[in-house]
Amino acid sequence: MSHEVTTFQPDRLFAIRMDESDDLRHFRSHFLFPANEDGSSKIYFCGNSLGLQPTEAKEAVVQVLDAWHHLAVDGHFTGDRPWMDYHRRLVNMMAPIVGALEPEVTIMNTLTTNIHMALGSFYRPSGVRTKILIEADAFPSDRYAVESWIKLHGLDPDRDLIQLHADDRGYLAPDQIRQAIYQTGEQLALVWLGNVNYYTGQYLQMGSIASWAHEVGALAGFDLAHAAGNVPMNLHDEDVDFATWCTYKYLNGGPGSIAGFYVHTRNHGFPRLAGWWGQDRSTRFDMRTPFTPESGAEGWQISNQPILSMAPLSASLALFHEAGMQRLQKKSRQLTGYLDYLLRQINAPGLEILTPSQPEERGCQLSLYMPGMAAGVYRKLLDSGVILDFRKPDVLRVAPVPLYNSYQDVWQFVQLLSTSL
Ligand SMILES: *Cc1c(COP(=O)(O)O)cnc(C)c1O
C-alpha cells in the first residue's frame, strides 16, 4: 500500500481520525443500514451484491405514484418529470460513471436481457469467424447467454466457445488474454468478459483488450456488473464496442432494478432486436411507420420503460453525480488498502487474499480465501452483525463501499474477523 498517501496504523484512533478527515463522510447519512436488535447499525459489506437504499429513494417512488394518481395517462407527457423523458436525466448522470458519451448510453431491461440484446447485434458469425472468448469462470448467466447464441446460430459451444482459464488463485494474466485473442485470430468474432471478476475482484484494463480484439477483426464487449459505480471507466476513449451492467449492486438502484446499456458511437448502425421504444421519437406513436431507430443507444430500447424501477436509481445517481467517480475511487483505494493492511496485520493462518494487491487491478472488493473455515467464520460474523457474502466453498467477499462505508466499519470488521478465527 506504499503508493498511497497514507501510512496506515493498526489502532482504532487511526480509523476515527480517517473518518473525521474523509470529505465524503456525509454521504453515509444518505443510506439506510439494516440494524441489529439493539438498534445499532450492522456492518454492511455487501454492496457488491445489493447496494443499500438511499434515503431519498422512497420519496422518488412516491413522486411517481403521485403522478400516476393525479395525472394518470397524461403523466407520460406532463408533470414535473414526464415519463417519456424520465430516463434522460438518469442517462445524463450515468454516462460519466462509465465514461461514455451520452448518446452511447441508455437504461433498459435487466442485465442478462441486455446481454442477449447485445449478442443479438454484435455476435454475427460468418465464414470462419464464429468464436466467442469468455472466462472459464464467467458468471453463469453470462455463460448461458453466450452458449445460447452460439446454438441459435446453429453452431457448437464445444467448438465456438473459447475459455480463458485463470491460475489456481483465480488470477487471469492480461498477457494470457492477448495470446488467446491472437491465437484465435480471424476465427474470433467476439470477446465477452467481466471487467471486474465477481469472484476474485480482479479488474481488467479494457482498453488493451479492445485494441487486441480489433487488431484481429473482432469486437470487444464487457459485463460491467461489478465495476459500474465501483471503478471509474472510459468506455468511449478505450474503444469498447458495447457493454451492459446491472444497477442494483454498487449503483444502489434496488432489487432487480433497471440495467445500463452502452454502444460505442461507431456501432450505432448495427442491426438489432427491435421494439417500438427504440423507434424514432418523432414517429413512435404513428403506429404504421417501418422501424427507423432512434439515434444512439436509445434505439436499442424495446419496451415502454419501467418508471417505478427508475425512481430509486435516480435518487442514487444524484449522489454519484455529487460525489464523482474520481473522488470515490480515491477514497475506495484508501479504504480497501486499509482493509488489506489490517488483514495482513492479523496475519491469520489459512487466510489468503485472492484479489490482486495492485490498486490498478482491483476495485473495492477483497475476496478472502479460507479453505475449510469460510462457512464457519461467515456464520460467526453474521451473528456479530456483519453482512458480507459467502461463495461456496471457501471464499468470503468483502466490499467496503466508499459512498457509505467508513474506516471504523473496516476496523471493527477486522476485529470481529480475528475473534471469529
Ligand atoms: C450480478 C451479475 C449478473 C446478474 O444478472 P441479472 O440479469 O441482473 O440477474 C450477471 N452477470 C454478472 C457478471 C453479474 O455480476
Side-chain angles (χ1 to χ4, degrees):
M1 296 312 101
S2 52
H3 25 255
E4 296 299 342
V5 289
T6 310
T7 312
F8 299 121
Q9 287 158 23
D11 56 299
R12 178 170 209 162
L13 196 62
F14 176 80
I16 294 172
R17 282 207 313 271
M18 286 299 285
D19 283 331
E20 281 169 0
S21 62
D22 170 12
D23 63 352
L24 299 177
R25 69 181 180 283
H26 63 283
F27 285 104
R28 184 179 173 92
S29 65
H30 288 269
F31 288 92
L32 301 171
F33 284 73
N36 296 303
E37 275 171 19
D38 67 2
S40 61
S41 290
K42 293 199 183 273
I43 296 180
Y44 195 78
F45 282 153
C46 232
N48 56 346
S49 199
L50 182 72
L52 291 179
Q53 182 183 144
T55 49
E56 294 84 356
K58 196 175 276 178
E59 180 54 29
V61 174
V62 168
Q63 277 173 12
V64 177
L65 291 173
D66 283 347
W68 178 20
H69 168 181
H70 296 293
L71 306 170
V73 72
D74 289 338
H76 283 105
F77 299 101
T78 59
D80 293 341
R81 296 186 62 186
W83 304 327
M84 264 304 281
D85 288 324
Y86 196 95
H87 66 290
R88 284 276 168 92
R89 200 169 73 101
L90 278 74
V91 166
N92 172 277
M93 296 188 286
M94 185 71 93
I97 292 176
V98 294
L101 308 178
E102 221 172 292
E104 293 176 325
V105 176
T106 196
I107 48 173
M108 61 183 199
N109 312 318
T110 47
L111 171 53
T112 307
T113 309
N114 285 347
I115 298 176
H116 283 296
M117 299 299 293
L119 292 171
S121 284
F122 301 112
Y123 179 50
R124 315 193 61 216
S126 92
V128 295
R129 198 180 287 285
T130 55
K131 298 188 196 303
I132 305 184
L133 181 72
I134 67 167
E135 301 147 279
D137 299 319
F139 195 90
S141 210
D142 296 53
R143 165 181 300 273
Y144 302 152
V146 165
E147 284 181 355
S148 66
W149 276 93
I150 291 174
K151 288 182 189 161
L152 275 167
H153 283 286
L155 299 165
D156 179 4
D158 284 341
R159 211 200 57 184
D160 292 304
L161 194 64
I162 312 275
Q163 307 195 38
L164 290 159
H165 290 272
D167 71 14
D168 53 10
R169 299 183 75 254
Y171 182 74
L172 200 53
D175 201 49
Q176 189 191 341
I177 303 174
R178 187 179 58 83
Q179 281 175 25
I181 290 172
Y182 287 158
Q183 267 164 23
T184 316
E186 62 173 12
Q187 296 183 2
L188 186 65
L190 203 65
V191 174
W192 177 250
L193 297 171
N195 71 333
V196 168
N197 182 279
Y198 76 98
Y199 188 71
T200 63
Q202 180 187 355
Y203 178 69
L204 295 172
Q205 300 291 338
M206 293 182 286
S208 40
I209 296 172
S211 73
W212 300 328
H214 295 158
E215 258 180 75
V216 302
L219 297 177
F222 291 88
D223 185 326
L224 317 177
H226 281 267
N230 176 15
V231 186
M233 288 172 270
N234 291 298
L235 294 178
H236 179 85
D237 288 344
E238 297 199 318
D239 240 5
V240 169
D241 289 293
F242 61 96
T244 174
W245 58 98
C246 52
T247 62
Y248 48 80
K249 290 172 180 164
Y250 294 105
L251 291 173
N252 317 310
S257 55
I258 190 164
F261 187 75
Y262 154 91
V263 179
H264 194 286
T265 309
R266 182 181 57 243
N267 299 327
H268 285 179
F270 269 67
R272 67 204 65 189
L273 297 162
W276 76 318
W277 229 251
Q279 169 69 16
D280 179 354
R281 291 159 72 89
S282 63
T283 52
R284 189 171 299 169
F285 303 106
D286 289 356
M287 310 315 258
R288 287 195 172 76
T289 317
F291 186 66
T292 39
E294 181 65 40
S295 67
E298 269 196 40
W300 266 264
Q301 292 173 176
I302 38 178
S303 289
N304 177 358
Q305 296 274 47
I307 308 299
L308 281 167
S309 168
M310 292 185 191
L313 180 61
S314 117
S316 174
L317 292 185
L319 299 172
F320 275 91
H321 183 70
E322 192 188 332
M325 283 309 296
Q326 298 304 329
R327 280 207 299 163
L328 286 168
Q329 184 183 45
K330 187 158 173 274
K331 174 174 173 188
S332 180
R333 286 188 170 177
Q334 296 265 15
L335 200 59
T336 294
Y338 179 53
L339 172 61
D340 190 322
Y341 162 83
L342 289 178
L343 288 170
R344 290 175 204 280
Q345 291 283 310
I346 62 170
N347 194 19
L351 187 160
E352 203 186 330
I353 301 172
L354 287 185
T355 312
S357 57
Q358 292 301 319
E360 304 75 42
E361 282 195 301
R362 68 186 186 195
C364 74
Q365 170 187 326
L366 293 186
S367 301
L368 315 186
Y369 177 58
M370 307 172 78
M373 303 191 298
V377 170
Y378 174 67
R379 271 189 301 274
K380 283 189 195 161
L381 286 169
L382 270 187
D383 290 343
S384 355
V386 180
I387 301 182
L388 75 174
D389 175 276
F390 169 49
R391 287 287 123 168
K392 283 179 188 163
D394 296 316
V395 168
L396 297 183
R397 298 187 305 170
V398 187
V401 166
L403 203 50
Y404 51 72
N405 282 124
S406 66
Y407 292 85
Q408 289 173 81
D409 285 345
V410 171
W411 189 86
Q412 270 173 0
F413 164 73
V414 176
Q415 300 309 303
L416 293 167
L417 175 70
S418 114
T419 344
S420 67
L421 283 167

